[in-house]
Amino acid sequence: WRPEYLSRAGLDSLIASGVAPAPEIYLLDNRTRPQFTDQLSAGLRQQVGPINASVTFTHIRGQDGVGFYPANRLATGTRDFLPTPGGFGAVLISVNDRTSVYNSLQVSAQKPYSTDFSAGGVSWGASLAYTLAVAKERGGLFNFDFPTIKASPLAPTGGDERHRLVFSGIVGLPLDIKLSTLITLGSGLPYTISDATKGFAPDEFVLRINEGRAEGLIQFSQVDVRLAKDFMLSRGQRVGVFAECFNLLNTRNFGGYDGFLPPAIETANPNFGQPTSLVGPPRSFQFGMRYGF
């Protein structure tokens, strides 16, 4: 482990040195089993007037996922790589030890496009969907941070967004124009913490996979709008035109959080927990036309 590789300058110096590692060997177990999942969902649906509401619980457990880990490395102590004949580097072998678990609670309500609940006879529709989810997995495709995949912790996945709220609406305007919107709010994705507060030795360095979370409940916000109008032609033919704006408020959604914690005897990382990139599109526009018959 070399901490300078956490910076771009450190990686540039490695590239400039022109030193390439020895080639690796990949071995696939002849008895590799296909991955499978057990899925269960249970819910309740109820119509209240024109509104359709539902509550659903979903459980998904995946097993026998394929992952690779180095076989020529000490499982304890310094965890150094053992030399291989022929000048090769790491020997990567496959195992069926990757697992995953996903649990979610989904609540939704929908009012179809109609004049219900409209004093002026205006047609409109809306839907609201909320998801509370927990997604975890053990091991990845390549595993170098723990002795084996079985020794890896059951940690949150990179897509483990705990809360997500989605609202959509549509309303009929004069001249048969339809205005619709899609609003998405999310609690954001986790990031991995490289904890070297005790040092970089194998028994000191701790990789806390996806344990970091940005402060604040709403970390992702996007409002999209669309205007559309259809023109009826002869013999059942029709032409539709539309204009769309994505991220109407030009909200900046952040990602790529810095998760490095240096040794306690060194200066604290001032950028810890700070984002390094943007997620989702900036404000953008799209215009289009469709033809139907």
Side-chain angles (χ1 to χ4, degrees):
W1 173 267
R2 297 181 61 177
E4 59 266 31
Y5 291 160
L6 289 170
S7 66
R8 178 171 179 173
L11 293 176
D12 287 342
S13 65
L14 179 63
I15 296 174
S17 68
V19 178
E24 298 174 331
I25 298 176
Y26 289 81
L27 300 177
L28 185 65
D29 189 346
N30 289 333
R31 294 170 295 180
T32 298
R33 302 178 300 275
Q35 183 178 4
F36 70 94
T37 59
D38 295 321
Q39 304 184 34
L40 169 68
S41 64
L44 175 66
R45 295 179 181 177
Q46 180 66 45
Q47 182 172 353
V48 182
I51 299 177
N52 299 313
S54 67
V55 177
T56 305
F57 171 77
T58 301
H59 171 78
I60 302 175
R61 177 178 293 272
Q63 300 184 66
D64 285 350
V66 176
F68 291 85
Y69 76 94
N72 63 322
R73 186 175 65 174
L74 295 175
T76 58
T78 60
R79 292 179 60 193
D80 290 338
F81 280 86
L82 303 176
T84 57
F88 288 95
V91 179
L92 303 177
I93 62 174
S94 72
V95 289
N96 277 113
D97 293 336
R98 292 176 62 190
T99 59
S100 61
V101 180
Y102 174 82
N103 294 304
S104 71
L105 178 66
Q106 305 162 27
V107 181
S108 66
Q110 179 183 23
K111 176 194 174 295
Y113 184 73
S114 67
T115 58
D116 292 325
F117 300 137
S118 176
V122 177
S123 296
W124 66 280
S127 67
L128 185 69
Y130 167 73
T131 302
L132 171 64
V134 176
K136 295 184 177 183
E137 64 181 352
R138 187 188 310 277
L141 181 58
F142 296 101
N143 302 266
F144 293 88
D145 301 300
F146 299 92
T148 63
I149 295 180
K150 284 186 176 181
S152 303
L154 187 64
T157 68
D160 180 35
E161 185 176 46
R162 297 295 169 84
H163 306 275
R164 173 156 286 232
L165 181 67
V166 179
F167 170 81
S168 65
I170 182 172
V171 60
L173 301 179
L175 303 178
D176 292 329
I177 298 175
K178 291 187 174 76
L179 172 65
S180 59
T181 183
L182 179 66
I183 302 175
T184 304
L185 303 175
S187 58
L189 302 178
Y191 61 92
T192 295
I193 298 176
S194 302
D195 189 352
T197 53
K198 296 182 179 180
F200 290 100
D203 58 344
E204 297 172 340
F205 182 78
V206 179
L207 190 71
R208 294 156 56 184
I209 301 175
N210 293 321
E211 288 188 11
R213 299 275 180 177
E215 296 182 359
L217 180 60
I218 300 177
Q219 294 298 321
F220 182 87
S221 174
Q222 182 170 324
V223 178
D224 304 330
V225 294
R226 172 187 173 109
L227 279 172
K229 178 176 174 59
D230 289 336
F231 298 90
M232 299 302 298
L233 304 179
S234 60
R235 299 178 182 177
Q237 302 179 68
R238 60 188 181 278
V239 173
V241 294
F242 61 87
E244 297 173 314
C245 178
F246 302 100
N247 197 2
L248 176 67
L249 304 180
N250 202 28
T251 304
R252 294 190 299 172
N253 300 302
F254 297 107
Y257 289 87
D258 188 332
F260 176 61
L261 290 174
I265 60 176
E266 299 182 7
T267 303
N269 179 10
N271 297 320
F272 177 78
Q274 299 299 314
T276 61
S277 62
L278 293 176
V279 178
R283 182 190 291 129
S284 52
F285 299 90
Q286 178 173 281
F287 304 90
M289 181 176 65
R290 65 176 182 269
Y291 169 73
F293 58 93

